[in-house]
């Protein structure tokens, strides 16, 4: 029965980082991945160029039942540390909006560098191999694998991710292991996901499918100012994906269309310049024509600009600054970029990611109840948590 110091289940960003760090410390490491290829989320991220971190990553960019939990790992291994790693491997990169960093060429450059580091650190990678059962054997762990073989290890690291994008093999495996060993699970749900609406709202949205506009999506005091996209199912785009992590079923969101403009003043000036102009025509100078027409129809503005009083124009502009919408749901894990919730951080040590009451058992990455904003934050949590566990497993 082969014995290893460390077995890591899940060869994604967190698992690979942990395996490399543990191997560098002289630990014998086996990394087990049930898919045919490692790091598939890295490969598809950012349109194939991997949004690998964010310049502005801080603990405030993460959701968790314990908002302080991520501080230790994020402080010990920062975005600047990972940028140094990227530069050390000669991977060219660039910054897009809001501090998002992407590979110039391909996400495969990062995967190749991680696998090269894993090999150099002496780590073993076993693909197309599932873990059937996990049990304790004295102070060690015994794993029964899908190929009929067994493994024992002193340290077992769960880096199996969440439920998002099941077509890539995502499962609730990590949560099952956590429950087996007595850890609690914070309710899981799709995060960074498009929102869906009732049939009546979709009928209004249907002519807008494919239309994008700059806006602010709000839920309570939380707000994100980025692009929004109308789809045949509802709303998507960065602003909507961001707010989806805060929204819960039955709640409203509010949308501010073109927050960069004083639409009241623009419409009032347009009325003075050409009162015979239709309201939607004037509005269409500042947003897509189809959207302008729907918004005018929604509030019931009839007639030309000359027919609108200052009070009506003000009320219309205020409506566009806080357009109330009630999603009925989301597109679910099928399109969700991340899974909210996960292994309760109350049961984990924030510095080592080890289960407090189960020596030698660790949880890192997305399986933990730590979820970042859109824009490279979740990869940074993977690097930080994987690195932190790798120092001690």
């Amino acid at each position: 029965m082969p014995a290893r110091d460390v077995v890591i289940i899940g060869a994604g960003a967190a698992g690979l980082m942990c395996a490399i760090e543990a191997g560098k410390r002289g630990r014998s490491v086996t990394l087990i991945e049930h898919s045919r290829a490692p790091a598939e989320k890295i490969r598809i991220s950012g349109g194939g160029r991997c949004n690998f971190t964010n310049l502005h990553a801080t603990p405030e960019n993460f959701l968790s039942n314990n908002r302080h939990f991520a501080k230790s790992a994020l402080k010990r291994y920062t975005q600047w540390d990972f940028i140094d790693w990227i530069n050390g491997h000669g991977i060219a990169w660039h910054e897009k909006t809001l501090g998002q960093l992407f590979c110039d060429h391909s996400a495969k450059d990062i995967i190749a560098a991680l696998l090269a580091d894993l090999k150099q650190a002496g780590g073993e990678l076993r693909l197309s191999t599932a873990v059937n059962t996990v049990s304790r054997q004295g102070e060690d762990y015994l794993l029964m694998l899908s190929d009929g073989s067994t493994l024992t290890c002193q340290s077992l690291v769960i880096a199996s991710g969440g439920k998002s994008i099941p077509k890539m093999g995502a499962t609730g495996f990590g949560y099952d292991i956590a429950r087996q060993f007595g850890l609690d699970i914070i309710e899981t749900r799709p995060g960074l996901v498009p929102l869906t609406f009732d049939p009546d709202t979709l009928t209004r949205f249907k002519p807008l499918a494919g239309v994008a506009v700059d806006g602010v999506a709000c839920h309570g005091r939380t707000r994100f100012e980025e692009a929004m996209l109308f789809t045949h199912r509802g709303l998507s785009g960065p602003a909507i994906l961001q707010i989806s992590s805060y929204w819960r079923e039955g709640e409203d969101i509010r949308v501010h269309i073109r927050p960069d403009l004083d639409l009241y003043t623009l419409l009032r000036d347009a009325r003075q310049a050409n009162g015979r102009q239709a309201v939607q025509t004037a509005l269409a100078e500042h947003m897509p024509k189809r959207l302008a027409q729907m918004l005018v129809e929604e509030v019931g503005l009839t007639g030309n600009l000359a027919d609108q009083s200052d009070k009506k124009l003000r009320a219309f502009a205020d409506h566009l600054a806080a357009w109330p919408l009630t999603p009925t749901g989301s597109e679910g894990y099928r399109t969700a970029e991340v899974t909210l919730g996960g292994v309760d951080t109350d049961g984990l040590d924030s510095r080592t990611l080890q289960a407090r009451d189960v020596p030698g058992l660790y949880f890192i990455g997305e399986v933990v109840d730590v979820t970042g904003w859109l824009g490279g934050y979740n990869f940074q949590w993977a690097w930080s948590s994987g690195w932190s566990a790798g120092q001690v497993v």
Side-chain angles (χ1 to χ4, degrees):
M1 183 184 300
R4 306 289 281 174
D5 294 329
V6 184
V7 170
I8 301 169
I9 302 175
L16 283 163
M17 177 62 81
C18 183
I20 291 165
E21 290 300 312
K24 284 160 60 175
R25 292 174 42 241
R27 303 285 278 170
S28 60
V29 181
T30 293
L31 190 58
I32 299 175
E33 171 58 50
H34 71 270
S35 299
R36 291 179 295 177
E40 281 292 89
K41 275 197 172 182
I42 295 177
R43 182 182 64 81
I44 69 168
S45 144
R49 292 192 175 181
C50 189
N51 180 192
F52 56 81
T53 193
N54 194 292
L55 293 176
H56 309 306
T58 69
E60 284 67 43
N61 306 118
F62 294 83
L63 290 80
S64 174
N65 264 23
N66 178 357
R67 63 190 181 89
H68 300 292
F69 181 82
K71 289 181 177 179
S72 177
L74 292 171
K75 182 178 181 179
R76 296 174 66 217
Y77 191 84
T78 70
Q79 61 268 44
W80 310 110
D81 292 316
F82 191 72
I83 290 169
D84 285 345
W85 182 88
I86 287 282
N87 291 336
H89 285 275
I91 299 173
W93 55 273
H94 60 277
E95 178 186 354
K96 286 192 176 180
T97 58
L98 303 175
Q100 301 172 61
L101 304 188
F102 292 78
C103 299
D104 281 359
H105 176 243
S106 171
K108 294 179 181 179
D109 294 341
I110 291 181
I111 298 173
L114 288 167
L115 293 178
D117 278 8
L118 178 67
K119 182 178 180 179
Q120 184 175 1
E124 175 193 22
L125 175 60
R126 298 180 63 172
L127 299 173
S128 300
T129 304
V131 177
N132 290 338
T133 63
V134 175
S135 60
R136 290 298 294 270
Q137 189 177 62
E139 295 183 354
D140 293 340
Y141 292 87
L142 171 64
L143 284 69
M144 305 291 293
L145 306 182
S146 58
D147 60 5
S149 65
T150 61
L151 269 179
T152 62
C153 60
Q154 298 171 359
S155 296
L156 176 63
V157 183
I158 309 301
S160 53
K163 298 179 180 178
S164 56
I165 319 182
K167 70 179 181 181
M168 292 178 58
T171 70
F173 173 86
Y175 311 132
D176 294 337
I177 296 298
R179 292 189 187 96
Q180 177 185 337
F181 288 96
L183 282 81
D184 292 330
I185 303 297
I186 301 299
E187 177 192 3
T188 59
R189 56 194 175 94
L192 301 179
V193 63
L195 297 176
T196 57
F197 292 83
D198 63 88
D200 288 343
T201 302
L202 289 180
T203 297
R204 300 189 345 252
F205 284 1
K206 186 175 181 180
L208 301 175
V211 168
V213 65
D214 290 335
V216 174
C218 304
H219 178 270
R221 296 184 179 181
T222 304
R223 63 194 304 274
F224 292 98
E225 182 174 352
E226 292 187 70
M228 300 185 336
L229 175 68
F230 290 85
T231 73
H232 62 286
R233 293 189 181 92
L235 286 173
S236 187
I240 297 300
L241 297 184
Q242 295 277 38
I243 211 66
S244 73
S245 293
Y246 294 82
W247 171 83
R248 298 301 293 260
E249 286 76 1
E251 298 175 342
D252 290 344
I253 62 171
R254 293 186 178 271
V255 170
H256 186 172
I257 302 293
R258 288 304 306 268
D260 55 319
L261 299 177
D262 181 351
L263 290 175
Y264 165 70
T265 299
L266 290 171
L267 290 174
R268 187 190 61 188
D269 292 348
R271 182 185 63 189
Q272 184 175 350
N274 182 8
R276 295 181 180 179
Q277 190 177 35
V279 179
Q280 61 261 36
T281 301
L283 194 62
E285 295 183 11
H286 309 288
M287 65 184 66
K289 181 177 180 180
R290 285 177 286 169
L291 176 59
Q293 181 176 348
M294 189 207 73
L295 291 169
V296 170
E297 292 174 350
E298 183 175 79
V299 299
L301 280 183
T302 58
N304 297 327
L305 279 169
D307 301 316
Q308 315 306 323
S309 64
D310 284 357
K311 183 178 180 180
K312 284 186 177 180
L313 291 181
R314 172 64 71 186
F316 182 48
D318 289 346
H319 177 75
L320 299 189
W323 181 22
L325 294 167
T326 305
T328 56
S330 75
E331 292 190 8
Y333 291 116
R334 181 182 63 83
T335 58
E337 297 205 13
V338 292
T339 303
L340 292 157
V343 177
D344 191 344
T345 58
D346 284 351
L348 303 177
D349 184 295
S350 64
R351 182 176 175 83
T352 65
L353 286 300
Q354 182 175 209
R356 293 185 184 278
D357 298 327
V358 191
L361 181 63
Y362 300 77
F363 293 85
I364 60 175
E366 189 182 350
V367 73
V368 179
D369 175 34
V370 174
T371 304
W373 289 0
L374 184 73
Y377 297 98
N378 287 291
F379 273 124
Q380 185 56 49
W381 169 245
W383 312 131
S384 297
S385 61
W387 184 92
S388 297
Q391 307 311 303
V392 294
V393 293

